[in-house]
Coordinates of all heavy atoms in Angstrom, one line a residue:
Q200 N 187.8 212.8 -59.1 CA 187.1 212.8 -57.8 C 186.4 211.4 -57.5 O 185.8 211.3 -56.5 CB 186.0 213.9 -57.9 CG 186.6 215.3 -57.8 CD 187.3 215.7 -59.1 OE1 186.8 215.5 -60.2 NE2 188.5 216.3 -58.9
G201 N 186.5 210.5 -58.5 CA 185.9 209.2 -58.3 C 184.5 209.1 -58.7 O 183.8 208.2 -58.3
N202 N 184.0 210.1 -59.5 CA 182.7 210.0 -60.1 C 182.7 209.3 -61.4 O 183.8 209.2 -62.1 CB 182.2 211.4 -60.3 CG 182.0 212.2 -59.0 OD1 181.4 211.7 -58.0 ND2 182.6 213.4 -58.9
I203 N 181.6 208.7 -61.8 CA 181.6 207.9 -63.0 C 180.6 208.5 -64.0 O 179.7 209.2 -63.6 CB 181.2 206.4 -62.7 CG1 179.8 206.3 -62.1 CG2 182.2 205.7 -61.8 CD1 179.3 204.9 -61.9
S204 N 180.9 208.3 -65.3 CA 180.1 208.9 -66.3 C 180.3 208.0 -67.6 O 181.1 207.1 -67.6 CB 180.5 210.3 -66.6 OG 181.8 210.4 -67.0
N205 N 179.5 208.4 -68.7 CA 179.7 207.8 -70.0 C 179.5 206.3 -69.9 O 180.3 205.5 -70.4 CB 181.1 208.2 -70.6 CG 181.2 207.7 -72.0 OD1 180.2 207.6 -72.7 ND2 182.4 207.5 -72.5
K206 N 178.4 205.9 -69.3 CA 178.0 204.5 -69.3 C 177.9 203.9 -70.7 O 177.2 204.5 -71.5 CB 176.7 204.3 -68.5 CG 176.3 202.8 -68.4 CD 174.9 202.8 -67.6 CE 174.4 201.3 -67.5 NZ 173.1 201.3 -66.8
R207 N 178.6 202.8 -70.9 CA 178.5 202.2 -72.2 C 178.6 200.7 -72.1 O 179.2 200.2 -71.2 CB 179.6 202.7 -73.1 CG 181.0 202.5 -72.6 CD 182.0 203.5 -73.2 NE 183.3 203.3 -72.6 CZ 183.8 204.0 -71.5 NH1 183.0 204.8 -70.8 NH2 185.0 203.8 -71.1
L208 N 177.9 200.0 -73.0 CA 177.9 198.5 -73.0 C 179.3 198.0 -73.5 O 179.6 198.3 -74.6 CB 176.8 198.0 -73.8 CG 176.6 196.4 -73.7 CD1 176.2 196.0 -72.3 CD2 175.5 196.0 -74.7
F209 N 180.0 197.3 -72.7 CA 181.3 196.7 -73.1 C 181.1 195.4 -73.8 O 181.6 195.2 -74.9 CB 182.1 196.5 -71.8 CG 183.5 195.9 -72.1 CD1 184.5 196.7 -72.5 CD2 183.8 194.6 -71.9 CE1 185.8 196.2 -72.8 CE2 185.0 194.1 -72.1 CZ 186.0 194.9 -72.5
T210 N 180.2 194.5 -73.3 CA 179.9 193.3 -74.0 C 178.7 192.7 -73.3 O 178.3 193.1 -72.2 CB 181.0 192.3 -74.1 OG1 180.7 191.3 -75.0 CG2 181.3 191.7 -72.8
S211 N 178.0 191.8 -73.9 CA 176.8 191.1 -73.3 C 176.8 189.6 -73.8 O 177.5 189.2 -74.8 CB 175.5 191.8 -73.7 OG 175.3 191.8 -75.1
F212 N 176.0 188.8 -73.1 CA 175.9 187.4 -73.4 C 174.5 186.9 -73.4 O 173.6 187.6 -72.9 CB 176.7 186.6 -72.3 CG 178.1 187.1 -72.1 CD1 178.4 188.1 -71.2 CD2 179.1 186.6 -72.8 CE1 179.7 188.6 -71.0 CE2 180.4 187.1 -72.6 CZ 180.7 188.1 -71.7
N213 N 174.3 185.7 -74.0 CA 173.0 185.1 -74.1 C 172.8 183.9 -73.2 O 171.7 183.4 -73.1 CB 172.7 184.7 -75.5 CG 172.6 185.9 -76.5 OD1 172.0 186.9 -76.1 ND2 173.2 185.8 -77.6
D214 N 173.8 183.5 -72.5 CA 173.7 182.3 -71.7 C 174.7 182.5 -70.5 O 175.5 183.4 -70.4 CB 174.1 181.1 -72.5 CG 175.6 181.1 -73.0 OD1 176.2 182.2 -72.8 OD2 176.0 180.1 -73.5
G215 N 174.5 181.5 -69.5 CA 175.4 181.5 -68.3 C 175.2 182.7 -67.4 O 174.3 183.5 -67.6
G216 N 176.0 182.8 -66.4 CA 176.0 183.9 -65.5 C 177.3 184.7 -65.5 O 178.3 184.3 -66.2
L217 N 177.4 185.8 -64.8 CA 178.6 186.6 -64.6 C 178.9 186.7 -63.2 O 178.0 186.9 -62.4 CB 178.4 187.9 -65.3 CG 178.2 188.0 -66.8 CD1 177.8 189.4 -67.2 CD2 179.4 187.5 -67.5
D218 N 180.2 186.6 -62.8 CA 180.6 186.8 -61.4 C 181.8 187.8 -61.4 O 181.8 188.8 -62.1 CB 180.8 185.5 -60.7 CG 180.4 185.5 -59.3 OD1 180.6 186.6 -58.6 OD2 179.9 184.5 -58.7
G219 N 182.8 187.4 -60.6 CA 184.0 188.3 -60.5 C 184.7 188.6 -61.7 O 184.7 187.8 -62.7
M220 N 185.4 189.7 -61.8 CA 186.2 190.1 -62.9 C 187.5 190.8 -62.4 O 187.5 191.3 -61.3 CB 185.5 191.2 -63.8 CG 184.1 190.8 -64.3 SD 183.5 192.0 -65.4 CE 183.3 193.5 -64.4
K221 N 188.6 190.7 -63.2 CA 189.8 191.4 -62.9 C 190.5 191.9 -64.1 O 190.4 191.2 -65.2 CB 190.8 190.5 -62.1 CG 190.4 190.1 -60.7 CD 190.4 191.2 -59.7 CE 190.2 190.8 -58.3 NZ 188.9 190.1 -58.1
C222 N 191.1 193.0 -64.1 CA 192.0 193.5 -65.2 C 193.4 193.2 -64.9 O 193.9 193.4 -63.7 CB 191.8 195.0 -65.3 SG 190.5 195.6 -66.4
D223 N 194.2 192.7 -65.9 CA 195.6 192.5 -65.7 C 196.3 193.8 -65.9 O 195.7 194.8 -66.3 CB 196.1 191.3 -66.5 CG 196.1 191.6 -68.0 OD1 195.9 192.8 -68.4 OD2 196.3 190.6 -68.8
K224 N 197.6 193.8 -65.8 CA 198.4 195.0 -65.8 C 198.4 195.6 -67.2 O 198.7 196.8 -67.4 CB 199.8 194.8 -65.3 CG 200.6 193.8 -66.1 CD 202.0 193.7 -65.5 CE 202.9 192.7 -66.3 NZ 204.2 192.6 -65.7
S225 N 198.1 194.8 -68.2 CA 198.0 195.4 -69.6 C 196.7 195.9 -70.0 O 196.5 196.4 -71.1 CB 198.5 194.3 -70.6 OG 197.6 193.2 -70.7
G226 N 195.7 195.7 -69.1 CA 194.3 196.2 -69.4 C 193.4 195.2 -69.9 O 192.2 195.5 -70.1
K227 N 193.8 193.9 -70.0 CA 192.9 192.9 -70.5 C 191.9 192.5 -69.3 O 192.3 192.4 -68.2 CB 193.6 191.6 -70.9 CG 194.5 191.9 -72.2 CD 195.0 190.6 -72.8 CE 196.0 189.9 -71.9 NZ 197.3 190.7 -71.8
L228 N 190.7 192.3 -69.7 CA 189.6 192.0 -68.7 C 189.3 190.5 -68.7 O 189.0 189.9 -69.7 CB 188.4 192.8 -69.0 CG 187.2 192.6 -68.0 CD1 187.5 193.2 -66.7 CD2 185.9 193.3 -68.6
Y229 N 189.5 189.9 -67.5 CA 189.2 188.5 -67.3 C 187.8 188.4 -66.6 O 187.6 189.0 -65.5 CB 190.3 187.8 -66.4 CG 191.6 187.6 -67.0 CD1 192.3 188.7 -67.5 CD2 192.2 186.3 -67.1 CE1 193.6 188.5 -68.1 CE2 193.4 186.1 -67.7 CZ 194.1 187.2 -68.2 OH 195.3 187.0 -68.8

Side-chain angles (χ1 to χ4, degrees):
Q200 289 72 45
N202 297 308
I203 61 175
S204 61
N205 189 26
K206 179 182 178 181
R207 56 201 180 273
L208 187 64
F209 181 77
T210 192
S211 62
F212 307 91
N213 295 318
D214 61 353
L217 298 172
D218 212 325
M220 306 186 296
K221 292 291 188 300
C222 271
D223 68 12
K224 62 182 181 181
S225 67
K227 294 190 293 292
L228 181 66
Y229 288 60

